[in-house]
Amino acid sequence: MVQTSRLASKMAQQNQTCHYNESMSFFYNNSGASDTWDKTQLILVRVVGSIFCCFILVSNSMVVAAVITNKRFHYPFYYLLSNLAASDFLAGIAYVYLMFNTGESSRTLTVKEYFIRQGLLDVSLSASLSNLLVIALERYISVMNWKVHSNLTKRRVTLLIVLVWAISIFMGAVPSLGWNCICNINDCSSLAPIFSRSYLIFWSVSNLVVFLVMVVIYTRIYTYVKRKTAMLTPHTSGSINRKRTPIKLIKTVMVVLGAFVICWTPGLVVLLLDGLNCTGCNVTKTKRWLLLLAVLNSVMNPCIYSYKDEEMWTTFKNLMRCIGNGTRRQRSTKANARALSSGQDTGNSQPPSEETKTDDQGILKT
């Protein structure tokens, strides 16, 4: 009896010991999670993922550039949309870092490096979700006033953008600030071996609640617009097309939101099951495929912007044309510079004059 109590106290003391100096291999072994990949499968995922990430970085950079350069986009909705593109850009960076630090490489990471890897993903997801929520509120304000754009000033939009990133960075840093299982390894999850199960429950439930809030907001907007349009149709048959402009923006955001929910909900549900310690769910098998689904979401967003917004697509084409013209102009400038320099060298080597020839002949005669 005494030996049993001593053994229990020893195990409790071991569980309360902090393991900051351990590698991630220790935590993977503790949780029983396996992050092993087939070599061919890992190479394929890295190649395809790298192509996707390059597209994410380039296309979302173009979205931000389009909003900056086109004055027709200088409205609160498009400023917030460009901020959403910036969060997708960060997601592309996070995916690149994750792809080349996964599989067997993840076991060699330090605790700090693992926090950085997961923190980038959490910040980008929080930023995307916060941006979608802010855009939903902006659309609600504008539609309830039956305007294309809301009356939010640039200062307020800037404050909203700063608030979005402040919240996102805080949410991404929460595990590294102490909400982890480094000092209580019995509470470690399987999908994220140094994240506590309670944190995964909080993370997944809070995001799913935000999803639900946004669905309610857009349902309210849709019913209001439908009722308002039905009331205006008999009286404004000639000008109703102009009034339908805000509906186009709403449809764009609803498609973006739908893609986000479809791509992220399965992953959040799996995180919730892991947090609830569902031993029979085998959550680690679906981890890599859910990650690719999340990558696909950041690929889809710029395509949705350009497909649903003709002005955005036109601006994209103008930007690509400017880049192409600038590259050709730079090449032609370099070619002209080479031709000019070679011409100057040829001009400097002039044929000898008649006086020089006479002098040379005199020297030969003597």
Side-chain angles (χ1 to χ4, degrees), residues 54-107:
C54 289
F55 178 81
I56 290 170
L57 297 176
V58 173
S59 58
N60 284 287
S61 299
M62 290 183 66
V63 172
V64 176
V67 173
I68 294 173
T69 56
N70 193 337
K71 291 184 179 180
R72 294 183 181 180
F73 294 148
H74 290 184
Y75 292 99
F77 171 77
Y78 288 105
Y79 289 141
L80 297 173
L81 197 68
S82 66
N83 198 41
L84 178 61
S87 63
D88 282 332
F89 183 90
L90 177 62
I93 296 174
Y95 296 143
V96 170
Y97 187 82
L98 175 64
M99 279 189 302
F100 291 95
N101 289 281
T102 192
E104 291 298 326
S105 301
S106 58
R107 290 180 171 269

Side-chain angles (χ1 to χ4, degrees), residues 2 135 333-334:
V2 176
I135 290 173
T333 303
K334 287 182 179 179

Side-chain angles (χ1 to χ4, degrees), residues 11 15 41 67 74 76 98 107 145 156 200 209 227 234 236 279 293 313 319 341:
M11 291 179 63
N15 289 335
Q41 189 183 49
V67 173
H74 290 184
L98 175 64
R107 290 180 171 269
N145 293 321
R156 290 181 178 178
L200 291 189
V209 168
R227 186 172 63 250
T236 57
T279 54
L293 189 62
W313 173 238
L319 286 172
S341 61

Side-chain angles (χ1 to χ4, degrees), residues 27 30-31 180-197 200 274 277:
F27 294 98
N30 170 70
S31 63
N180 54 59
C181 64
I182 295 176
C183 298
N184 184 16
I185 58 176
N186 281 340
D187 192 37
C188 292
S189 61
S190 297
L191 292 175
I194 59 174
F195 286 13
S196 60
R197 293 192 184 95
L200 291 189
D274 189 22
N277 198 17

Side-chain angles (χ1 to χ4, degrees), residues 52-61 63-64 80-96 120-121 123-129 131-132 135 165 256 259-260 263-264 294-305:
F52 280 172
C53 288
C54 289
F55 178 81
I56 290 170
L57 297 176
V58 173
S59 58
N60 284 287
S61 299
V63 172
V64 176
L80 297 173
L81 197 68
S82 66
N83 198 41
L84 178 61
S87 63
D88 282 332
F89 183 90
L90 177 62
I93 296 174
Y95 296 143
V96 170
L120 287 172
L121 284 173
V123 170
S124 62
L125 172 60
S126 299
S128 298
L129 194 59
N131 275 306
L132 285 171
I135 290 173
W165 285 106
V256 172
F260 189 85
C263 291
W264 280 100
V295 174
L296 185 62
N297 175 243
S298 296
V299 173
M300 291 169 61
N301 282 345
C303 300
I304 295 171
Y305 306 150

